[in-house]
């Protein structure tokens, strides 16, 4: 009897898991793809094919399965088991398995009515209305000759006063070819001079700017990077009269492509910024096993270290080498031997670089040592080796030279810094609210619901419900309201079944939403 029961239970659970395991686009896969893939795989973004619906994604089902299993997609270079960084693009093992199962079971659609809607992805800006947009003055024509192009553009800000900044957002113009952007600030005029000496718009330069500008690494962007919003009282500065230098990498293309990129700047509107992010670096001057020379046919690992002179809060990190670099590992050892992992990039890829921010500020007391290890493979077997046969490689700014650089963004430590999150969710102080009435939910409505609206400034408002002939059937609120978001409870059962309009009149501006009462 017991045996029979057990048998039955096993059979039942077997059946159950089989039913459970039916994976469909509508049921499980669409939400994973929309969250992790479609931000890049949609028209106008850098993913080569769109995944905005079942047809588009299922057409690439086996390729999708392959790229997630190998962790080639979504692209994310740092090792998530070593340290956590902001905006990590990593699928959980379970999400990978779900996609693999889906494809193995024939990439079924499931019930179309149960599909989650395509999210409303931001366009123009992830953050709201910028205070100023600094744009390339001309479009740049990237040749369709299948080679990379590294080009610096000099963008005058025409600012006559220095501005504190709360957020920076790089907007790649032609997302098919723009592959990274490193921004600097120049007050020396040397950028303009170089531009005037090189025919065409901008000047060619593999990495950096070809000279030392006023601020070398103001910001660094790679595809998929979120807008940079600085938390708390931290920010950046854009000096009066400055030029923004943009060092751009254009990826190879078989067709000529035009690009016109821009930078959205959000000023410190509420005068919160009292501390500016500062940048320091580990370079060959810090090497314990220099000089920085990589002989032909050899693999060399360089180790450098840097002593933190006074207590700091670390915000960001940006390791950088060129083509034969293969990995990076950076960690800090606090006095008393407490080790903090900062970043590990086991397969360095020149095409995916920029500043990585930590989820929280990292406090490093004075006399902490930061160690940075980077390896270079100068053998013919390295497919990224620019020389064939291999040649000795040393420091330089050219494609065939190498670099050993790790930038750090930091501020001097202040009490409470370790509690500051760098999450981009916290954008208070820069979002410019538009006055609007939100769609009514649930709709059709029955009984209690909340009507939401937001105001960009203090306003005399009137919130009411009118019928389709424009007759007011209920007044919900009238009076002075503060800027921000508001919810007004409303019991719809006081209205007869039918279609109505909810109206928000805010200082003469009228917003309307449809309301169906069951
Ligand atoms: C940060 C942007 C970004 C995200 C997020 C992203 N991709 Fe991609 N994907 C790219 C780019 C760029 C390419 C083309 C360049 C390349 O192959 O490296 C690409 C190429 C691909 C390819 C073609 C590979 C090939 O060999 O040609 C597939 C398939 C793919 N992605 C699937 C996915 C899936 C599945 C996800 C989500 C789990 C995803 N991608 C997330 C940017 C992205």
């Amino acid at each position: 009897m017991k045996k029979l029961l057990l048998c039955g239970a096993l059979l039942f659970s077997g059946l159950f898991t089989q039913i459970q395991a039916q994976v469909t686009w509508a049921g499980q896969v669409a939400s994973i793809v929309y969250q992790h893939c479609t931000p890049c795989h949609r028209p106008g973004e850098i993913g080569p094919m769109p995944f905005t619906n079942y047809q588009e994604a299922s057409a690439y089902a086996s390729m999708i399965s392959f790229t997630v299993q190998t962790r080639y997609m979504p692209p994310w270079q740092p090792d998530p088991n070593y340290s956590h960084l902001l905006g990590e693009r990593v699928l959980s093992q379970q999400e990978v398995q779900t996609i693999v199962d889906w494809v193995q079971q024939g990439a079924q659609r499931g019930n179309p009515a149960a599909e989650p809607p395509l999210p409303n992805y931001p366009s123009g800006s992830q953050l709201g209305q910028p205070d100023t947009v600094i744009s390339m003055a001309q479009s740049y024509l990237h040749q369709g000759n299948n080679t990379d192009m590294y080009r610096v553009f000099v963008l005058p800000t025409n600012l006559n006063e220095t501005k504190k900044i709360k957020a920076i957002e790089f907007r790649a113009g032609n997302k098919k070819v723009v592959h990274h952007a490193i921004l600097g600030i120049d007050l020396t005029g040397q950028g303009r001079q170089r531009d005037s000496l090189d025919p065409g718009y901008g000047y060619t330069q593999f990495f950096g700017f070809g000279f030392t500008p006023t601020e070398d690494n103001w910001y660094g962007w790679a595809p998929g990077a979120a807008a940079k919003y600085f938390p708390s009282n931290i920010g950046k500065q854009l000096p009066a009269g400055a030029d923004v230098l943009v060092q751009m990498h254009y990826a190879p293309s078989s067709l000529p492509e035009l690009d016109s990129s821009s930078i959205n700047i959000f000023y410190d509107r509420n005068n919160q910024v009292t501390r500016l992010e500062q940048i320091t670096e580990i370079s060959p001057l810090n090497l314990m096993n220099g000089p920085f020379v990589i002989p032909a046919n050899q693999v060399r690992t360089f180790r450098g270290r840097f002593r933190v002179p006074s207590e700091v809060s670390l915000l960001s990190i940006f390791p950088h080498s060129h083509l034969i670099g293969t990995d990076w590992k950076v960690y800090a050892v606090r006095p008393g031997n407490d080790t903090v992992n900062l970043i590990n990039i086991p397969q360095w890829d020149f095409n995916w670089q920029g500043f990585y921010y930590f989820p929280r500020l990292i406090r490093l007391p004075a006399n902490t040592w930061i160690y940075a290890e980077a390896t270079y493979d100068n053998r013919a077997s390295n497919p990224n080796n620019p020389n064939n046969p291999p040649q000795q490689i040393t420091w330089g700014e050219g494609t065939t030279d190498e670099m050993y650089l790790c930038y750090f963004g930091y501020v001097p430590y202040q009490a409470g810094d370790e509690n500051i999150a760098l999450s981009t969710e916290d954008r208070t102080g820069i979002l410019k609210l538009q006055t609007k009435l939100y769609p009514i939910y649930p709709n059709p409505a029955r009984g209690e619901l909340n009507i939401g609206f937001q105001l960009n400034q203090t306003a005399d408002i009137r919130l009411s419900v009118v019928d389709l002939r424009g007759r007011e059937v209920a007044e919900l609120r009238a009076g002075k309201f503060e800027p921000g978001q508001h919810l007004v409870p409303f019991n719809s059962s006081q209205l007869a079944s039918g279609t109505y309009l909810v109206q928000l009149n805010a200082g003469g501006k009228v917003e309307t939403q449809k309301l169906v009462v069951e």
Side-chain angles (χ1 to χ4, degrees):
M1 179 64 190
K2 211 170 175 189
K3 221 175 184 177
L4 234 158
L5 251 180
L6 196 75
C7 231
L10 271 179
L11 200 88
F12 181 73
S13 76
L15 252 172
F16 188 68
T17 44
Q18 227 179 9
I19 293 165
Q20 280 281 91
Q22 175 64 55
V23 179
T24 64
W25 171 260
Q28 297 89 349
V29 177
S31 60
I32 300 175
V33 168
Y34 288 167
Q35 185 187 347
H36 295 282
C37 317
T38 316
C40 293
H41 288 273
R42 62 193 168 98
E45 295 298 327
I46 56 164
M49 67 289 271
F51 301 145
T52 63
N53 56 40
Y54 171 71
Q55 282 75 14
E56 289 171 354
S58 59
Y60 288 94
S62 57
M63 224 168 160
I64 288 176
S65 173
F66 178 78
T67 53
V68 298
Q69 280 181 83
T70 53
R71 304 263 174 202
Y72 181 62
M73 287 286 145
W76 183 251
Q77 306 310 318
D79 173 4
N81 297 317
Y82 187 78
S83 62
H84 288 295
L85 297 155
L86 210 61
E88 233 165 56
R89 287 189 297 265
V90 181
L91 295 184
S92 68
Q93 193 47 47
Q94 198 192 334
E95 288 168 324
V96 170
Q97 197 55 48
T98 301
I99 291 178
V100 170
D101 290 347
W102 175 60
V103 175
Q104 255 168 15
Q105 294 171 13
Q108 306 283 320
R109 179 167 189 175
N111 175 9
E115 276 174 21
L118 188 69
N120 232 331
Y121 296 104
S123 74
S125 169
Q126 301 172 341
L127 291 176
Q129 185 77 34
D131 292 295
T132 187
V133 181
I134 303 172
S135 304
M136 283 167 62
Q138 304 172 23
S139 293
Y140 175 71
L141 181 71
H142 176 47
Q143 301 294 335
N145 55 4
N146 289 311
T147 48
D148 295 274
M149 182 62 173
Y150 304 92
R151 193 97 180 156
V152 178
F153 302 103
V154 183
L155 277 43
T157 57
N158 302 316
L159 275 180
N160 40 32
E161 57 168 349
T162 296
K163 288 283 193 185
K164 298 244 179 77
I165 285 174
K166 208 63 199 133
I168 306 172
E169 186 177 32
F170 180 81
R171 304 295 304 174
N174 187 334
K175 294 165 186 100
K176 272 187 265 176
V177 290
V178 174
H179 215 298
H180 73 233
I182 312 285
L183 276 53
I185 297 292
D186 190 27
L187 290 162
T188 71
Q190 288 181 75
R192 291 181 185 203
Q193 198 190 350
R194 280 177 189 253
D195 188 0
S196 69
L197 295 175
D198 192 310
Y201 184 44
Y203 62 96
T204 297
Q205 180 68 42
F206 178 63
F207 181 75
F209 307 106
F211 66 98
T212 305
T214 314
E215 214 177 310
D216 221 339
N217 266 278
W218 196 63
Y219 183 60
W221 175 90
K228 185 64 231 120
Y229 171 72
F230 294 95
S232 177
N233 57 2
I234 301 169
K236 284 265 188 196
Q237 188 161 280
L238 197 53
D243 291 335
V244 176
L245 305 174
V246 183
Q247 196 271 357
M248 204 88 98
H249 170 207
Y250 292 112
S253 169
S254 53
L255 297 170
E257 294 280 351
L258 281 171
D259 171 54
S260 177
S261 293
S262 59
I263 307 152
N264 289 344
I265 302 280
F266 298 80
Y267 292 145
D268 174 27
R269 294 181 192 145
N270 303 341
N271 293 320
Q272 289 173 294
V273 174
T274 53
R275 296 195 286 168
L276 300 177
E277 185 191 32
Q278 296 170 44
I279 308 288
T280 189
E281 72 211 18
I282 285 187
S283 74
L285 298 175
N286 303 90
L287 283 180
M288 298 184 283
N289 61 343
F292 185 68
V293 175
I294 309 129
N297 302 308
Q298 287 194 21
V299 178
R300 288 218 51 190
T301 297
F302 292 94
R303 290 188 185 81
R305 64 175 191 170
F306 170 88
R307 190 183 62 84
V308 177
S310 60
E311 189 161 44
V312 296
S313 294
L314 205 57
L315 287 138
S316 61
I317 189 165
F318 175 0
H320 171 76
S321 39
H322 288 179
L323 302 174
I324 65 163
T326 58
D327 58 63
W328 272 95
K329 184 181 274 186
V330 189
Y331 54 93
V333 181
R334 294 183 172 123
N337 280 338
D338 162 27
T339 299
V340 190
N341 291 348
L342 297 178
I343 197 167
N344 178 22
I345 301 184
Q347 283 176 297
W348 167 256
D349 183 341
F350 185 80
N351 289 333
W352 293 97
Q353 59 177 319
F355 276 100
Y356 292 98
Y357 284 81
F358 299 105
R360 288 185 172 277
L361 298 192
I362 297 178
R363 178 182 183 177
L364 299 178
N367 299 321
T368 295
W369 284 95
I370 298 180
Y371 290 86
E373 298 176 8
T375 302
Y376 302 80
D377 181 350
N378 194 3
R379 297 175 300 182
S381 54
N382 179 356
N384 298 324
N385 199 327
N387 303 310
N388 188 7
Q391 317 263 309
Q392 169 170 299
I393 292 184
T394 58
W395 180 268
E397 293 196 330
T399 330
T400 56
D401 302 321
E402 260 308 331
M403 284 203 176
Y404 165 91
L405 271 178
C406 185
Y407 301 102
F408 299 91
Y410 69 96
V411 285
Y413 175 78
Q414 268 181 13
D417 271 0
E418 49 275 80
N419 301 321
I420 297 177
L422 272 111
S423 143
T424 43
E425 263 72 72
D426 170 22
R427 294 165 191 162
T428 43
I430 67 157
L431 262 186
K432 230 182 209 162
L433 286 182
Q434 311 276 342
T435 291
K436 77 169 183 209
L437 178 65
Y438 288 98
I440 314 296
Y441 182 86
N443 205 0
R446 180 190 288 152
E448 291 287 344
L449 57 111
N450 281 312
I451 295 175
F453 66 92
Q454 61 182 38
L455 301 174
N456 66 352
Q457 57 184 21
T458 306
D460 263 321
I461 69 123
R462 198 178 146 76
L463 185 68
S464 56
V465 182
V466 299
D467 68 15
L468 289 179
R469 283 189 242 154
R471 286 183 308 208
E472 185 170 304
V473 292
E475 184 191 90
L476 307 183
R477 284 288 186 281
K480 225 184 220 5
F481 275 71
E482 297 286 305
Q485 293 169 328
H486 305 275
L487 277 181
V488 175
F490 172 58
N491 190 346
S492 66
S493 46
Q494 60 182 277
L495 300 177
S497 303
T499 302
Y500 299 87
L501 298 174
V502 177
Q503 276 190 347
L504 171 73
N505 185 328
K509 182 180 191 289
V510 180
E511 288 263 318
T512 305
Q513 292 287 352
K514 198 162 106 180
L515 165 68
V516 178
V517 175
E518 279 189 340

